[in-house]
Amino acid sequence: KDSDTIKVGFNLELTGDIPKVGEASKFAAEMLKEEINSQGGLEVGGKKYKLEFVYQDNEAKAESAVNAALKLINQDKVIAIVGPNSSKQAIPAGATCNDSQVPMVTPWSTNPDTTKDRPWVFRACFLDPFQGPVAVNFASKQFGAKTAAVIFDIANDYSKGLAEIFKKEWEKKSGPGTVVGFESHGTKDQDFSAQLTKIIAAKPDFIFIPDNYNQVALIVKQAHDLGYKGPFMGSDAWGSAELMTLCGKDCVGQFFSTHYAAAGAQGATKEFIDRYTTKYKYVPDDVAALTWDATRLVLQAIQAVGKVEKDIKAERKLVRDALAGIKEFAGITGNMKFAGTGDPNKCAVVVQISPEGKFEFKETVCPE
Amino acid sequence: MKTLLEVKNLKVRYGNIEALHGISFDVKEGEIVTLIGANGAGKSTTLLSICRLPPPEAPRVVEGDILFNGQSLLNVPPHKIVSDLDMALVPEGRRIFGNLTVEENLKLATYARKDGHEAAVRDYERVYALFPRLAERRKQRSESLSGGEQQMLALGRAIMSKCSFLMLDEPSMGLAPLLMYDMFRTLKELNREGLTILLIEQNANLALRFAHRGYVLDTGEIVAHGTSEQLLADPEVKKAYLGG
Amino acid sequence: MQKHTVTIGVFALIALIAVLAQFNVLDAYYVSVLMFMGVNIILATSLNLVNGYMGEFSCGHGGFMCVGAYVSSLCTVLMFSKNAILGAPLLPPSMTFIGFPLALLVGSFAAAIAGLVVAIPSFKTRGDYLAIITLAANYIVISAINNMEIIGGPRGFMGMSATEVGMKSVLDIPWVLIFTMLGTLGSVWLLRRFVSSTLGKGVSAISQDEIAAEIMSVDTNRMKLIAFMLSSGLAGLAGGLYAHILGYVNPQSFDIMRSTEIMVMVYLGGMGSLSGAALAAVLFTVLMEALRFLDVWKWVVIPLLLILLMQFRPEGLMGNKELADLFPKLRKFYSFK
Amino acid sequence: MEIFQHILNALQFGSFYALIALGYTLVYGVLRLINFAHGDIFMVGAYIAYFVAVTLLGIGGLHLGMDMHPALALAITVPATMILTALVGVALERTMYRPLRRKGANRLYVVITALMAGLMLENGNLALLGASRKRFPDLLEKVVWDLGGGVSVTNLKVIVIVAAIAVFLLLQFIVTRTKIGMAMRGISYDKFAIPLMGIPLDTIIVFTFILGSSMAGLAGILFAMSYPILEPYMGALIGWKAFIAAVVGGIGDIRGAIVGGFLLGFIEIGVVAVFPSTLRDLFAFSVLLIILWLRPTGIFGVAQTTKI
Amino acid sequence: MSLLEINGLTRRFGGLIAVNDFNIDLGEHELVALIGPNGAGKTTVFNLISGFYQPSEGSIKLKGKDTKGLRPHQVTALGVARTFQGIRLWGEMHVLDNIRIAQHYRLGYSLLDCFLRTKNYVHREKAIDAIAWELLEAMDLKDVAYELPRNLPYGVQRRVEIARAMSVKPSLLLLDEPAAGLNSSDVEGLIKLVRWIYDNFPVTIWMIEHQMKVVMSLCTRIKVIDFGTTIADGSPDEIQKNHAVIKAYLGDDTI
Ligand SMILES: Nc1ncnc2c1ncn2[C@@H]1O[C@H](COP(=O)(O)OP(=O)(O)OP(=O)(O)O)[C@@H](O)[C@H]1O
Ligand SMILES: Nc1ncnc2c1ncn2[C@@H]1O[C@H](COP(=O)(O)OP(=O)(O)OP(=O)(O)O)[C@@H](O)[C@H]1O
Ligand SMILES: [Mg+2]
Ligand SMILES: [Mg+2]
């Protein structure tokens, strides 16, 4: 009976700092599993296998992520692992998977270290060094801005890394000293008035906020309370359905770069969004979409292997090779090209928030 | 004379250790009764059980009954015993509130008093007259008082709580001789005004001279009782508790 | 001979576990749980010296662990791994056998020095005020590391796995597991020796009546210095081991939540009982893993279990007793001194 | 000019620290219990306020089909939240702290229980309500007053600051001037002797929890109005920091809590105003550490004179 | 050379003068009492000697050495031991440990010795143990060696406290109200114990006590203070007849 199922593990942050991220991942995966299983299972080499997804909570902690990975590998005997999402967990878990020779695909970790020198680790998202310039180019064109200010989360490597890349790129483009404010805050902070007071006093043309959506909502509101009237530019971490519930009219009209635009999406992307929205009562954010893609990457690799080996180790090796062999993949977050590093080469989109709270497509930026 | 307090076959425990093995005694209205006995005989335990303070520090009554004015105390919460039945206990080790000033300590003791401000003021005067030392130290945090001064404060508090039944656990401990005699004289005076007193005192000689009647406690049991004269004259008691 | 039964037994157990791990009878998951268990034992027993034996309320143990983790990692990475600071490794892999324990020692030492930040104010400050100092020290350490770009800041720091790889390249056995077990044993042994000596009992005297201790000739300042530095030094050792087990450290792994966990283990085990702390560490680690399946509910169930446990045993699992007190027969086999 | 804005900001954020620190100090001042669950009671307060408010406004919660004017809703939400939050605090005391106290457990076990209770509140919330954050509805028409020179202040900021000071004055009066307050202080020194003064011990303790928790509820609703995003862990960090503030001020002293709270607000905002903001925690906590080095019992704390 | 020499000792607490220009000169092997009304400053004098308080004015010389600025444990190391007005034993450690720990100042081994269990360590611990047992034996406390002090009767606790002080091997023993809270027969025992110590050890004993029976039957010299100032100093007979002492302290025992 066991040979009729295929087990995939998920290493997710279901509790801890960012439970919403883990939840969205889990929802997307469940949806995918139900879809495939309702069609009788995943077809590999002409035979249909039922999918079994095993979820382990990593509590958004590094060592817990390692333990979760080891448990998935050794106890649950999964073929491959999807997750963790945040780089803090994805980096050590990636090392574990690489050492244990288990393929791992992280949906959302944008830190270069996650996949670096790790043949068994892959990802479904673009990297920070790519997203930074996207924001720079778009903002200088759209706002005609000469000066910029940045506020970011010091304890979040994603936010900090992106902020630094942005600063470097912006000063390269507009000259030294044109980033007139560069302020940080902590992950669980709720008051940003001091940072914003400083930034506003420096009179930037716009404010770049590479921050999680929940903090964005507070920052934008407080900036308005302090009398700021200029524009904001954001990054992919804004892309949550919750952003608008939390931020309300303060965020209307602002721009951010992201993996995909939910509003006005077409084809498979739209289908995904609609189904997710009906099922879970909110518009899926980028993590959900990326998890969907990451999981599908894994499943595609399994199908590409064409058979399910009895020996799990051999099967994992084959799946890894198949993953490495994928050159192009049409995901709902855009087309990905892999060049053997485990990192996709994919386009980013910039969206604007409409008065109805939709993320409307503005432009696509692709790597040269 | 009416029996005020009646203890019947009282057995109490600390955890699993039985400290009193069924003692019975009574105190009549207007009397001074003393409990004497060696260290660890269970004298303090008796008073704590009467006050019904909650365990773990205080003992647990497992058998017997305590009647006050005919009413059983076993189901009366401890603060009610003080506020409604007008009993007061000066506990062993003084237990003053060290972070409050002398004045606040006295004031707190009037928490449950119902006889108005003036009466309380009269009692303040009385306490300060009895212990002029306390008047000098009114505003001092009481934990920095000397040992004897703290003892005065503990007594002062009992007077302030306006009780009609006073239980004293070694009130003379740490007091200088002069003051000790003064204190006993004042207590006698209060007794003449109607206060009933149950006294524990290490100095058995002194206690028996002061009290009307006495009970001798030995490892949780009452081994002798009688009027003070009888006990003072009893050769056994003399040998064991009066220091020959 | 009988006196050494326990000693021999313990070493035999360590050897057995190592062999089982080597031949994959214990898979990597169990091995990692075992190693984290060891780290937790060191953390809980060392904190117990301060919170249990000395009766202080230190709630920033994670900070010292952090110092040890970073310093020892820095050492091994500089020595044995390709890194951003020095480029190529300084030493060949065969040197790892000296380099690794040495790095752990340096880490512990650094953590012990960091312990001074708490030890010195403790001369004048006690109780909950000291608790805040430890808490602040925890925040300061984490914030300082977040600000140190060169060791990765909030991104974390890695490259420690090169050490294990180096050791395995000489002889392929589970080295980190062995070192962790030896480190755990060593820590408990050191603490045990300390608290059972007349010197170490001065610490308990401070907790029970500091004034009496000082007046009866105990140099309380010196005792506090020793206790805090020993405790934070061992936390540093635990941190060093932790970093090399994981191969990656991140300042957020050592925040208040971590310190809270350690504290919970101490009080769960019983204040002033080394075996209690160790037992609690084992129990806690197992519980954390066993309840994984509860997902979100895990962190509702674990506190609830602990609360219930404390209601039934308000002095912790062991109170202030040691195993040898509960099972006096053990004394026959070991002097427990 | 920037400096005035910073001062206003510091006053507002300091007010929250102060309001929460007051609750900490109150319970501590009576029971010597560091009620680590207090930050989470504050969180619960904010959620209660949310559910009451959306129910009254008819946009969620119990769906009673009400459709109240926001101002009226606010007037009802404030007392309702304070009462309901007080109930939560009292429930913790009755079910967890009191039984332990009765068993004579070391006070640190009660502290750990409080920590665990806090974790349960946080994660129980997460498990029951899901990971979505809640957006607190606008109950107050926001007014931004431009004071000139780039300094602006909202009506809400003014309300928060006034509330903190009012609560402080009320508590200070209760604790230092009334017999109940005296009894509260007495309990902290010797619980055992309290009944001997004819004072109902448990009643006073429950009263303390009612006071402290209702203040946390008030802080919760004000906080939710100022920073309208609610999540299960929102009370944890601010709770720890408020606790630190309370201790730096001199724990157990009402003045200490308010001064410590504002002090922490000023230090945090001040560091960010002058230095790169990345150094905020590092500097702020170093300053607090130094204050405690110099004044080992906090700003208002009195060292216990040990009499031997 | 005198053992203890106090000159012009004064101690203020805020505006309050607890001890005022206190002088005394104690030789080796004496048995002296310090009495006076409550709050007279007796305990404060002891606290000043043991280094728990620092004098506002005046000097304290122990065997010719000024103790100014010394911490209490350093003073103890010079040979001063004391008991406390309220018993202050370490309640969670058995009696034997209580007595061992009071020998901390002459442990004679280092932390490293302790970790490595060197010969020196073993040797010193044995010596400490031997002294402790010797004292327990001599003071009839052997049976309670492994009891926790808080479980012992009050009278026994007092004895343990004195034994602990003796394990310091003091040349000056300060007893603060040793008879307080003892019943009549225990008081007899205490008197015998103090006398035994005095007879068997080269120690000067200085005690504060309110029970005249104890003071009069033991001490050869009595010093009386009131409001921090000396009002009398002399032999028991002289003191008992001194009018100032009777008026301020002794009173008359009519009840
Ligand atoms: N809190 C407690 N826990 C356990 N046992 C106790 C406790 N308090 C007292 N005991 C024991 O109960 C017995 C009676 O003690 P109690 O204090 O009543 O004696 P006492 O006659 O007042 O003696 P003393 O003269 O020393 O005050 C003693 O054996 C004592 O050890
Ligand atoms: N730390 C302190 N702060 C303020 N006042 C103090 C302090 N210590 C002692 N005093 C005061 O100094 C005076 C002397 O106290 P001390 O304890 O020396 O008295 P004593 O002679 O031992 O009295 P007793 O016989 O009652 O024990 C007392 O009035 C006391 O209130
Ligand atoms: Mg007694
Ligand atoms: Mg005295």
Side-chain angles (χ1 to χ4, degrees), chain C residues 121 124-125 128-129 132 139-140 143 147 211 256 263-264 267 270-271 296 299-300 303 306 310-311 314-315, chain D residues 28 34 96 99-100 103 105-109 112 116 123-124 237 240 243 247 251 278 281-282 293 296-297 306:
Chain C
K124 284 200 288 178
T125 312
D128 302 310
Y129 292 96
I132 289 310
Y139 273 112
I140 289 172
S143 181
N147 275 292
I211 289 170
I256 304 296
M263 243 156 43
V264 167
Y267 293 100
M271 295 164 74
V296 185
W299 275 106
V300 182
L306 294 178
M310 278 185 271
Q311 297 286 347
E315 69 285 338
Chain D
Y28 183 91
I34 309 173
M96 295 175 190
L100 269 184
K103 292 190 184 105
N106 185 307
R107 81 184 179 98
L108 291 178
Y109 282 91
I112 296 294
M116 295 297 107
N123 294 297
L237 184 69
W240 282 104
F243 169 50
V247 175
I251 190 147
T278 51
D281 278 6
L282 188 62
W293 272 31
T297 51
T306 17

Side-chain angles (χ1 to χ4, degrees), chain A residues 12 14-16 56-61 63-65 67-68 71, chain C residues 29 257 261 284-306, chain D residues 116 119-120 122-124 126-127 233:
Chain A
L12 300 176
L14 294 170
T15 57
Q56 292 290 357
D57 176 23
N58 60 36
E59 301 158 76
K61 284 195 258 178
E63 95 263 33
S64 191
N67 268 358
K71 185 149 197 207
Chain C
Y29 169 69
M257 193 56 207
E261 279 174 14
F284 191 78
T285 320
V286 170
L287 212 60
M288 291 285 274
E289 290 302 325
L291 296 185
R292 242 175 217 293
F293 72 94
L294 289 174
D295 281 5
V296 185
W297 287 97
K298 174 172 139 184
W299 275 106
V300 182
V301 171
I302 287 186
L304 188 65
L305 278 178
L306 294 178
Chain D
M116 295 297 107
L119 281 178
M120 261 174 68
E122 281 171 16
N123 294 297
L126 178 67
Y233 301 104

Side-chain angles (χ1 to χ4, degrees), chain E residues 95-96 99-100 102-103 106 128-142 159-160 162-170 193 196-197 201:
Chain E
V95 168
L96 182 62
I99 290 175
R100 279 188 192 143
Q103 307 181 45
R106 53 180 151 86
I128 289 164
D129 225 32
I131 291 172
W133 279 110
E134 213 173 284
L135 266 170
L136 288 179
E137 176 97 68
M139 295 180 65
D140 200 18
L141 289 167
K142 222 175 147 180
R159 273 223 307 283
V160 174
I162 295 174
R164 181 177 72 172
M166 286 312 293
S167 75
V168 171
K169 292 200 172 162
L193 178 67
W196 177 82
I197 290 174
F201 294 87

Side-chain angles (χ1 to χ4, degrees), chain B residues 43-45 92 169-170 200 202:
Chain B
K43 307 182 294 295
S44 307
T45 304
E92 196 172 23
D169 199 341
E170 300 189 34
I200 291 180
Q202 289 294 2

Side-chain angles (χ1 to χ4, degrees), chain D residues 171-203:
Chain D
L171 292 184
Q172 176 73 359
F173 175 79
I174 292 179
V175 169
T176 57
R177 295 294 154 79
T178 63
K179 269 190 197 169
I180 285 205
M182 224 177 271
M184 285 160 70
R185 283 183 287 149
I187 291 176
S188 73
Y189 197 86
D190 191 345
K191 280 202 283 290
F192 187 77
I194 281 287
L196 295 180
M197 303 291 113
I199 303 169
L201 177 67
D202 287 332
T203 313

Side-chain angles (χ1 to χ4, degrees), chain B residues 223-225 228-240 242:
Chain B
V223 291
H225 67 101
S228 296
E229 292 76 29
Q230 287 168 339
L231 289 175
L232 278 168
D234 186 328
E236 299 255 319
V237 174
K238 214 170 184 165
K239 187 156 150 278
L242 303 179

